[in-house]
Amino acid sequence: MQGEHVLSGSTGWQFACPALVYYCLTIFIHERFPKSVHEARLVFPRRGKDMKGLLSAAAIGGLLSVAGCGPLPPTQDDVEAQALQLKQATDELIQSAVQSGQAVVVTTTINLDADPMGDFNDPDVAAEFQRIRWSATQWTNINDPEAHLTVGNSRRAFDIGPTGNFYQTVFGRVLYQVYIVSPGTYRLSGANYQLPRTEIPNPQLSLPKPIKPSALGQVVLTKTNFAEFNKAVEWRDASYGTRTESWTGCTAVHVMSGACVSSQKFKQEVTELRDPAGYRSVTQKKDVAGAMVTVSLKKDFARFTIKPGEVLLVDGFYADPPISNYSADSCKQVAANDVRCELDSVTFTRMSTSLEDWRNASDPAKYGYAGMSAVLKAMRYQEPEILAKPVKQPSRWGIPYQLK
């Protein structure tokens, strides 16, 4: 096929990673080709004025091999080389995005290392860390619901796909995350997080009655179990084992010389102490009830607009669990383990930032991202339009805002 490079077996890459193919396509040919990967026929254009500066074949190879999509799994000797390929490909990707009419957003969430949690052997500490670590906020393009970004710890693009971040760095209590997005207006559309030690509402305990849909949105709680581990001391009785002793013995001796003239092999089972009785430190596993929570907003909590080729720094909003407020009477069983409730209010914590704070973080060039560093030098700060109202409630991360 003239003018295009087909991603097939002839390239040497066996595509076992459709998610990676999808994000390469959505990032690089979002404006030119159909949104469906299948309609786009898995091709990269070799040239075209609106696609100038796409990833090189070597960079694409680096992305695929590091993601485990190559014909053979990487060996230990390949790790450093592949890490370098991934870094170079990411660097080129950020530059290409701006050149090809996409845009770059840098936004904020919490820096988990800024506030020491304590001893993770303590189940209370572990449950709290689980709660704050997996919280993520979603921004969605108002004209294209498939174009969104997922902001939060453990949300790298190479872990979750194109909605994740491609680079992150910290300053103070803030974690900065770099995203590639399609131009347009983005609204804060929801969040997801985990709630260990939580019992979800049971609508079957309430009298059936019509449920009025909320103009704000809904929350879905999925029943699940979380494993907790406790250190304990318990008494253990002594344990014994047996071993076999074998030897060769003389069964007949010459009377005059005393020499052995006949021998035989003997065996004997011997009981021995393996572990003395006493108290032992043990780790005990316990399953506790909890919920996976998904919040979906109909109203706009906050929004920002980004133009083709722009690079913006925008305040993030952290979903500090639990963020949703609802009445148990508004809940309905919608699946075996899912309960959906109508929202009364929702609260996010604003993670304010500035260009000055950003510049105090480590320069990406320090870690080998010279191209990304150059792109981000053109970044400007844009305050998001906030439709929620600040509320007076304690927060260790920032200023809480609430929408009803």
Side-chain angles (χ1 to χ4, degrees):
M1 246 182 302
Q2 189 174 4
E4 57 188 26
H5 175 52
V6 182
L7 301 181
S8 68
S10 62
T11 67
W13 301 105
Q14 305 301 318
F15 283 94
C17 298
L20 184 57
V21 175
Y22 175 78
Y23 97 58
C24 287
L25 288 167
T26 52
I27 288 172
F28 293 115
I29 54 179
H30 183 277
E31 297 295 329
R32 176 164 177 169
F33 289 98
K35 294 171 188 173
S36 165
V37 173
H38 301 291
E39 291 173 2
R41 295 175 21 238
L42 300 181
V43 297
F44 281 106
R46 281 183 175 166
R47 55 180 61 87
K49 63 180 181 179
D50 60 333
M51 302 306 296
K52 181 174 68 174
L54 296 181
L55 282 182
S56 64
I60 295 170
L63 289 169
L64 295 171
S65 63
V66 175
C69 300
L72 292 173
T75 64
Q76 186 63 35
D77 293 339
D78 295 332
V79 171
E80 289 187 9
Q82 290 186 343
L84 180 60
Q85 282 183 313
L86 175 59
K87 183 177 292 187
Q88 293 171 341
T90 302
D91 202 38
E92 190 174 339
L93 183 148
I94 296 293
Q95 298 174 81
S96 301
V98 176
Q99 294 168 359
S100 62
Q102 299 294 305
V104 171
V105 170
V106 178
T107 189
T108 56
T109 188
I110 64 169
N111 174 14
L112 291 172
D113 294 328
D115 197 358
M117 298 289 296
D119 183 3
F120 283 94
N121 290 319
D122 182 339
D124 294 337
V125 173
E128 173 67 5
F129 185 73
Q130 179 97 0
R131 186 182 68 84
I132 67 172
R133 177 188 178 185
W134 294 107
S135 176
T137 301
Q138 184 166 304
W139 296 83
T140 303
N141 190 310
I142 62 174
N143 294 317
D144 183 3
E146 293 183 5
H148 55 269
L149 53 151
T150 305
V151 182
N153 285 272
S154 304
R155 296 303 195 279
R156 299 188 314 156
F158 292 97
D159 294 328
I160 68 171
T163 69
N165 71 83
F166 289 86
Y167 175 82
Q168 59 186 30
T169 187
V170 299
F171 175 67
R173 302 176 69 79
V174 172
L175 173 66
Y176 293 91
Q177 298 185 314
V178 180
Y179 294 82
I180 296 173
V181 300
S182 299
T185 297
Y186 286 78
R187 57 183 291 268
L188 198 164
S189 57
N192 56 74
Y193 51 89
Q194 301 178 5
L195 286 180
R197 303 179 175 183
T198 301
E199 292 287 346
I200 69 174
N202 185 353
Q204 297 175 353
L205 297 179
S206 304
L207 294 175
K209 64 178 182 179
I211 296 175
K212 182 182 178 181
S214 168
L216 175 59
Q218 298 171 324
V219 57
V220 175
L221 301 100
T222 301
K223 184 178 180 180
T224 188
N225 286 324
F226 293 90
E228 290 192 355
F229 299 89
N230 294 282
K231 295 288 186 180
V233 176
E234 66 179 21
W235 173 266
R236 288 187 178 177
D237 294 332
S239 63
Y240 298 87
T242 58
R243 60 183 175 84
T244 302
E245 290 186 350
S246 59
W247 69 94
T248 300
C250 189
T251 57
V253 178
H254 190 272
V255 175
M256 298 297 294
S257 66
C260 182
V261 295
S262 178
S263 62
Q264 180 181 337
K265 287 187 176 180
F266 296 91
K267 289 183 179 181
Q268 181 181 1
E269 296 296 320
V270 178
T271 300
E272 62 181 5
L273 178 67
R274 294 283 176 86
D275 192 15
Y279 288 98
R280 302 285 188 274
S281 294
V282 295
T283 300
Q284 298 172 335
K285 179 184 175 183
K286 179 178 68 173
D287 287 335
V288 296
M292 310 286 285
V293 184
T294 301
V295 175
S296 301
L297 297 179
K298 298 176 184 177
K299 287 185 178 181
D300 290 356
F301 190 100
R303 56 186 175 227
F304 68 88
T305 299
I306 189 166
K307 299 175 182 177
E310 272 196 314
V311 184
L312 294 183
L313 175 63
V314 179
D315 293 345
F317 289 83
Y318 172 61
D320 193 357
I323 66 168
S324 55
N325 182 38
Y326 56 87
S327 168
D329 292 340
S330 74
C331 298
K332 178 182 179 180
Q333 191 92 28
V334 292
N337 293 312
D338 294 351
V339 171
R340 185 182 66 212
C341 306
E342 303 297 320
L343 286 172
D344 293 327
S345 66
V346 65
T347 305
F348 286 84
T349 301
R350 183 179 181 180
M351 303 295 296
S352 300
T353 187
S354 66
L355 285 174
E356 181 181 1
D357 287 347
W358 160 259
R359 293 182 184 120
N360 284 323
S362 297
D363 189 327
K366 179 180 179 181
Y367 302 102
Y369 298 97
M372 182 190 301
S373 177
V375 168
L376 295 177
K377 279 182 170 56
M379 182 168 65
R380 67 179 181 85
Y381 170 76
Q382 178 172 300
E383 183 176 5
E385 180 184 3
I386 305 174
L387 292 91
K389 303 296 183 183
V391 291
K392 292 183 178 180
Q393 65 181 51
S395 172
R396 54 181 166 170
W397 303 112
I399 300 175
Y401 282 71
Q402 188 175 89
L403 185 65
K404 296 182 179 181

